[in-house]
């Protein structure tokens, strides 16, 4: 996907808000390049949505649309004084009604980072870890079998 300007992002957010929530988005939406582990976030004290710009560059528009819809769920529930946290039933219900994703996809650039793969010798269960695991100390959580580096 090509890059978006702040104005295009604001217009797209308002368009999605009107389409899926039947309400305008009157506050601010920004790109925040400091976001690393999430596609976006809603800041209740400022009524602001921040979007990770890497999702514009690395993934398609459908993924970015999903992130915006997810953050709009937080926004509209907060404005209405309802539960807008991830664990609140109102939030989960609104995600379902609008077809918004609960999580965003992992960035392709993050997938390239080094991970350690382990496999259980008994049941074949695989584990992906960011840090090395002491295979003498830890065992399979499924069958208690021995782990080996894959």
């Amino acid at each position: 996907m090509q890059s978006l300007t702040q104005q295009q992002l604001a217009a797209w957010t308002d368009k999605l808000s009107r389409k899926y929530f039947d309400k305008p988005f009157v506050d601010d939406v920004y790109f925040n390049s400091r976001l690393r582990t999430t596609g976006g976030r809603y800041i209740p004290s400022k009524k602001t949505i921040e979007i990770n710009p890497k999702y514009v560059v690395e993934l398609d528009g459908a993924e970015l649309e999903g992130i915006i819809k997810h953050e709009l769920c937080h926004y509209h529930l907060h404005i209405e004084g309802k539960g807008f946290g991830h664990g609140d039933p109102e939030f989960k219900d609104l995600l379902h009604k609008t077809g918004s994703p609960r999580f965003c996809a992992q960035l392709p650039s993050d997938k390239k980072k080094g991970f350690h793969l382990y496999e259980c010798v008994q049941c074949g269960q695989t584990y992906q870890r960011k840090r090395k695991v002491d295979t003498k100390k830890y065992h399979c959580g499924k069958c208690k079998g021995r782990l080996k580096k894959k």
Side-chain angles (χ1 to χ4, degrees), residues 70-129:
H70 176 100
E71 300 308 327
L72 282 171
C73 289
H74 288 297
Y75 171 79
H76 286 298
L77 288 170
H78 176 245
I79 298 296
E80 294 170 8
K82 296 179 181 175
F84 62 95
H86 285 116
D88 292 321
E90 295 98 344
F91 179 73
K92 290 178 182 178
D93 186 46
L94 189 58
L95 281 179
H96 183 70
K97 284 180 183 174
T98 59
S100 304
R102 184 119 189 248
F103 306 102
C104 58
Q106 187 177 15
L107 287 167
S109 60
D110 287 344
K111 289 181 183 176
K112 295 175 188 170
K113 293 181 181 174
F115 285 99
H116 302 278
L117 285 174
Y118 298 92
E119 183 178 25
C120 176
V121 176
Q122 283 182 297
C123 70
Q125 175 74 30
T126 58
Y127 299 93
Q128 183 178 349
R129 297 291 180 261

Side-chain angles (χ1 to χ4, degrees), residues 12-24:
W12 193 14
T13 304
D14 184 54
K15 180 182 172 185
L16 291 173
S17 181
R18 290 175 191 274
K19 180 178 178 182
Y20 290 100
F21 301 90
D22 295 323
K23 300 171 189 165

Side-chain angles (χ1 to χ4, degrees), residues 114-120 126-141 145-150:
F115 285 99
H116 302 278
L117 285 174
Y118 298 92
E119 183 178 25
C120 176
T126 58
Y127 299 93
Q128 183 178 349
R129 297 291 180 261
K130 288 185 180 181
R131 295 184 181 184
K132 282 187 178 180
V133 171
D134 183 0
T135 56
K136 293 176 185 139
K137 185 177 179 182
Y138 294 98
H139 53 83
C140 177
R146 192 174 59 83
L147 297 177
K148 70 173 184 175
K149 182 94 167 143
K150 197 169 178 186

